[in-house]
Amino acid sequence: MTTIAYCYSEPLLGPPPDGARWPQPIDQIYQDLSPERPELRRLLSDLQQAPPDQRPESLLVHCLDALAETLAELTECLAQLGALGIAVVEVEPDDLQPDADVGQRLAAVQQRLLQRRLQRGHARNRLKSLPPPGKAPYGYRRSPSRYELDKPAATVVQAFFEQFILYGSLRGAVRHIGQRYGKQISPSTGKRWLTSPVYRGHTAYKDGGIIPQTHEPILTADEAAQVDRLLRRSQFLPPRTASAPRSLSGLVTCHTCGSAMKITRVSSPRQTQTYLYLQPTSCSRQPHCCSLSYEAVLQKTIETICTELPSVIAQPPTAAADHKTDLTQAIQAKQQVLAQLPTLVDSGVLDSTTADLRAYTLKTEIAATEHALAQLPPVNLPELFKTVALPQFWQDLSESERRFFFREFIRVVRIHPDHSDWLTLEFVF
């Protein structure tokens, strides 16, 4: 007895089901990729023309709703198959109890049919780069074709980003907009704002796809890259040092004992003068590694930057520069393919649905590549560091500004108490 199966899938909704999941060997598979279901009509025609003794006893489907778009069409299809003496077997039955009646099963099928129609509508909106369903993110309002700025709310979001970029503190930025604008949000909401593609001018969808440059951004590309770098650097800093008032907080470690060094404040007996020291937080040596003057370490750090930076800039292009070139070329190649799609549709090589799907895939790949490109450290060091290697540049900065640049360029400040060259720097790049 032959075994046949019918499989239905839509490119809009995802890849077709895996044929290997059939519970038994299949002699013939009918597969449709569009709601018109021409292969299903051919299946019914083949069964009607076949002699009764050569017809299969059953037809395997992944689920009943694969056979139709509406409940009425499904009932008609099942009646035709029943008249031919063919039972429909579901490979992936629903989650109903085995003793569920026919009404419950039909209601479950109808629910899946409705869900598929909604998913198809959402998928078509994705191909048109329309906003996903639901309320617009704070700072925007919905329009028929895209997100538009809600200027009063966008001002609050922009102030939040500016505060975070300036001080590198998530909770500080949350407190800032609460005190200045009366907008109360949780730190977790602020973290979502910092990483949300929407505020960078991109549209994000539930399937993980991101379409770049679909609406006016609140955060520029340079600011977004800066936010990403600050978030990445904060992952490696000790707790409570992201927005510490001193520029060296969280950066200094003792090479001898391997301990991080914290900043302590000591006042004179008459409280007329305050001194700052760096001391190990958990030194295991006996006697303990000695404390160092904060100002002495700060000045030595600035001197080391000004001394070592020119030699770092003079180094040949690094692997990061080569990787940046590869990513840039990959983006250009995808953009060229994207530009060719209308011509392929006009010439009949691609239908409009396939071209829209390909365009959506290319746009999401371009967005992912651009994000990877933004994560790379800057490679135009000679242009970027013309003034950074000057001692006066550092002396004119406030502690918060100096902290910003230190964390942008320095990974670790290592203290070597037992050596003449007692301070070394490990640069981020």
Side-chain angles (χ1 to χ4, degrees):
M1 185 66 66
T2 59
T3 303
I4 63 173
Y6 175 75
C7 177
Y8 171 76
S9 63
E10 293 186 50
L12 285 175
L13 304 182
D18 187 2
R21 290 188 298 173
W22 297 112
Q24 62 193 71
I26 305 298
D27 296 306
Q28 187 174 4
I29 297 178
Y30 296 81
Q31 183 173 2
D32 275 319
L33 299 175
S34 67
E36 289 74 20
R37 292 178 171 78
E39 285 297 299
L40 179 60
R41 293 197 299 269
R42 186 170 75 88
L43 165 64
L44 294 174
S45 177
D46 291 345
L47 293 175
Q48 291 171 352
Q49 295 176 8
D53 58 342
Q54 296 182 9
R55 293 172 184 166
E57 293 182 353
S58 61
L59 170 66
L60 272 62
V61 296
H62 285 95
C63 52
L64 284 178
D65 52 275
L67 295 171
E69 285 297 303
T70 64
L71 198 58
E73 292 177 358
L74 176 59
T75 304
E76 181 181 354
C77 181
L78 293 176
Q80 293 182 35
L81 293 170
L84 296 172
I86 300 172
V88 178
V89 178
E90 286 186 284
V91 176
E92 300 174 357
D94 50 42
D95 298 330
L96 295 175
Q97 296 296 328
D99 57 350
D101 57 29
V102 176
Q104 290 175 321
R105 295 192 179 279
L106 289 178
V109 171
Q110 188 172 20
Q111 179 64 30
R112 292 201 299 270
L113 290 173
L114 174 60
Q115 183 179 10
R116 189 171 66 205
R117 286 197 294 272
L118 291 175
Q119 290 175 343
R120 186 185 300 145
H122 295 164
R124 287 171 177 166
N125 289 340
R126 286 198 299 270
L127 299 185
K128 298 176 183 177
S129 301
L130 298 178
K135 185 179 179 181
Y138 184 78
Y140 288 96
R141 60 175 180 268
R142 294 182 65 92
S143 74
S145 60
R146 61 175 185 169
Y147 291 131
E148 293 183 352
L149 284 179
D150 181 0
K151 292 188 177 181
T155 301
V156 177
V157 178
Q158 188 172 17
F160 170 82
F161 285 125
E162 291 174 350
Q163 187 76 6
F164 178 79
I165 291 173
L166 180 60
Y167 296 103
S169 172
L170 171 59
R171 294 182 180 273
V174 169
R175 288 194 299 269
H176 174 72
I177 62 173
Q179 295 170 357
R180 183 172 180 180
Y181 298 97
K183 176 62 178 178
Q184 304 296 331
I185 64 172
S186 65
S188 60
T189 299
K191 184 65 175 293
R192 286 197 300 271
W193 284 11
L194 292 173
T195 57
S196 173
V198 175
Y199 297 118
R200 306 172 186 217
H202 313 323
T203 299
Y205 297 100
K206 189 177 180 180
D207 65 350
I210 296 177
I211 303 297
Q213 301 173 4
T214 55
H215 54 269
E216 184 177 353
I218 295 178
L219 198 63
T220 66
D222 292 339
E223 291 171 337
Q226 180 60 49
V227 167
D228 291 339
R229 288 197 294 271
L230 287 172
L231 291 174
R232 190 165 57 250
R233 287 291 289 125
S234 297
Q235 295 176 356
F236 303 101
L237 293 174
R240 300 184 179 275
T241 59
S243 58
R246 298 298 170 181
S247 56
L248 289 177
S249 296
L251 294 178
V252 186
T253 62
C254 179
H255 181 75
T256 303
C257 66
S259 170
M261 302 189 76
K262 64 179 181 180
I263 301 173
T264 58
R265 183 190 301 268
V266 178
S267 300
S268 61
R270 296 184 178 180
Q271 304 289 324
T272 58
Q273 196 167 1
T274 301
Y275 303 93
L276 298 177
Y277 292 93
L278 281 161
Q279 65 179 24
T281 57
S282 56
C283 181
S284 58
R285 301 182 69 201
Q286 290 297 335
H288 292 331
C289 295
C290 62
S291 300
L292 297 173
S293 167
Y294 177 85
E295 287 297 328
V297 175
L298 177 62
Q299 293 303 320
K300 182 64 174 177
T301 300
I302 294 174
E303 292 174 8
T304 306
I305 289 176
C306 297
T307 302
E308 296 183 359
L309 207 53
S311 60
V312 173
I313 296 174
Q315 293 177 0
T318 61
D322 298 335
H323 188 41
K324 180 176 182 180
T325 302
D326 294 340
L327 293 177
T328 303
Q329 292 175 350
I331 292 174
Q332 293 174 350
K334 288 180 173 61
Q335 289 173 339
Q336 291 176 358
V337 175
L338 192 61
Q340 294 173 1
L341 292 179
T343 304
L344 295 176
V345 173
D346 294 339
S347 61
V349 176
L350 296 178
D351 60 80
S352 58
T353 301
T354 303
D356 289 342
L357 280 169
R358 183 58 180 152
Y360 175 76
T361 302
L362 287 170
K363 289 177 181 178
T364 56
E365 291 174 352
I366 289 173
T369 308
E370 288 178 341
H371 180 72
L373 187 62
Q375 304 306 305
L376 295 178
V379 295
N380 56 335
L381 299 182
E383 293 79 8
L384 188 62
F385 297 144
K386 282 182 179 179
T387 58
V388 175
L390 301 176
Q392 190 60 39
F393 169 80
W394 297 98
Q395 300 297 340
D396 293 340
L397 297 178
S398 65
E399 274 287 85
S400 60
E401 293 170 334
R402 196 179 295 128
R403 179 189 62 202
F404 172 88
F405 282 102
F406 277 168
R407 294 179 180 179
E408 187 79 354
F409 307 138
I410 301 174
R411 188 181 303 277
V412 178
V413 178
R414 299 192 187 279
I415 303 298
H416 308 264
D418 302 330
H419 294 78
S420 58
D421 189 10
W422 56 273
L423 184 145
T424 59
L425 300 180
E426 179 182 334
F427 290 100
V428 171
F429 44 85

